[in-house]
């Protein structure tokens, strides 16, 4: 049986380093991907995902399990840290690709992926968050609602609007396949 996040948190606060390591291994990859998609920068994503755990270990950490899950608390910290970075201005190093394209689609894939990431970064944050969590992280509406502290209906409507905005923006771009077939 897997120990709950909340129990690991209590153990960590009492000095158990293994509990901290388990929390880190359990949540850092998803927090890193979230920060990467929200910021567009691998360096920012790494900094944010590590800073989340620095803040979690801080004596001033204010996690209250009566208000929500530890996972939601961690994503909340990550969201706030990404907001701070984005307020400081454009991120210097955009993500050009976040996965390895297959051999046949490499040319098209690189350009299409870059266009997708640019377009995703241009979406308002409330829409970008739901796209990242629902579509890229493949989380359920209920999980995303819990993480964002919003009703499920809000998540659904934002996701619908986000997909429409993303689709419209991508449709306006000329894709590499159109160039190759011309």
């Amino acid at each position: 049986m897997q120990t709950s996040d909340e129990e690991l948190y209590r153990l960590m606060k009492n000095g158990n380093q293994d509990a901290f390591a388990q929390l880190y291994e359990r949540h850092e990859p998803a927090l890193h991907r979230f920060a990467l998609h929200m910021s567009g920068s691998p360096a920012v994503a790494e900094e944010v995902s590590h800073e989340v755990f620095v803040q979690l270990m801080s004596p001033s950490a204010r996690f209250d399990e009566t208000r929500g899950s530890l996972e939601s608390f961690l994503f909340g910290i990550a969201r706030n840290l990404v907001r701070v970075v984005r307020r400081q201005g454009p991120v210097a190093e955009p993500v050009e690709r976040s996965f390895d394209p297959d051999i046949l689609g490499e040319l098209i894939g690189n350009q299409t992926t870059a266009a997708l990431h640019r377009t995703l970064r241009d979406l308002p944050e409330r829409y970008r968050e739901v796209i990242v969590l629902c579509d890229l992280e493949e989380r359920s509406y209920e999980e995303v609602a819990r993480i964002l502290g919003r009703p499920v209906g809000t998540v659904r409507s934002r996701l619908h609007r986000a997909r429409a905005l993303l689709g419209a923006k991508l449709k306006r771009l000329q894709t590499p396949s159109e160039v190759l077939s011309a």
Side-chain angles (χ1 to χ4, degrees):
M1 184 173 151
Q2 187 176 24
T3 307
S4 74
D5 288 346
E6 290 71 19
E7 180 60 27
L8 288 173
Y9 176 76
R10 283 189 287 277
L11 292 168
M12 180 202 78
K13 281 302 208 180
N14 289 322
N16 186 319
Q17 293 177 355
D18 289 335
F20 174 79
Q22 287 181 49
L23 285 171
Y24 187 87
E25 288 175 13
R26 191 179 287 178
H27 295 289
E28 192 278 337
L31 291 166
H32 185 272
R33 287 188 307 269
F34 175 78
L36 176 64
H37 290 300
M38 293 300 291
S39 71
S41 167
V44 169
E46 185 171 333
E47 183 179 331
V48 164
S49 64
H50 291 296
E51 181 62 25
V52 166
F53 289 96
V54 169
Q55 288 189 23
L56 184 67
M57 290 187 306
S58 166
S60 62
R62 302 208 185 271
F63 171 64
D64 178 1
E65 66 183 89
T66 63
R67 296 183 62 203
S69 70
L70 183 66
E71 180 182 47
S72 296
F73 181 74
L74 296 174
F75 271 96
I77 294 171
R79 288 171 67 210
N80 290 335
L81 290 170
V82 170
R83 283 180 184 149
V84 167
V85 170
R86 289 185 62 86
R87 275 189 224 125
Q88 294 171 351
V91 177
E93 51 179 304
V95 173
E96 291 304 321
R97 58 186 208 194
S98 62
F99 58 89
D100 294 323
D102 64 12
I103 294 170
L104 296 176
E106 188 166 347
L107 175 63
I108 294 169
N110 288 345
Q111 293 173 0
T112 303
T113 301
L116 175 62
H117 282 290
R118 280 191 306 275
T119 306
L120 182 61
R121 281 192 309 271
D122 290 343
L123 286 178
E125 183 177 315
R126 67 184 176 275
Y127 298 132
R128 191 171 57 250
E129 287 175 337
V130 294
I131 287 281
V132 168
L133 292 170
C134 289
D135 291 343
L136 300 178
E137 288 295 313
E138 298 179 347
R139 292 181 178 260
S140 70
Y141 295 133
E142 292 77 15
E143 287 177 293
V144 174
R146 190 181 75 240
I147 288 168
L148 299 179
R150 300 280 184 250
V152 172
T154 300
V155 170
R156 288 178 190 263
S157 65
R158 284 185 182 175
L159 183 60
H160 177 75
R161 180 73 178 138
R163 287 174 177 162
L165 286 171
L166 191 60
K169 287 178 183 240
L170 287 172
K171 195 177 250 186
R172 285 192 297 252
L173 298 176
Q174 185 178 28
T175 63
S177 59
E178 290 172 323
V179 172
L180 293 175
S181 64

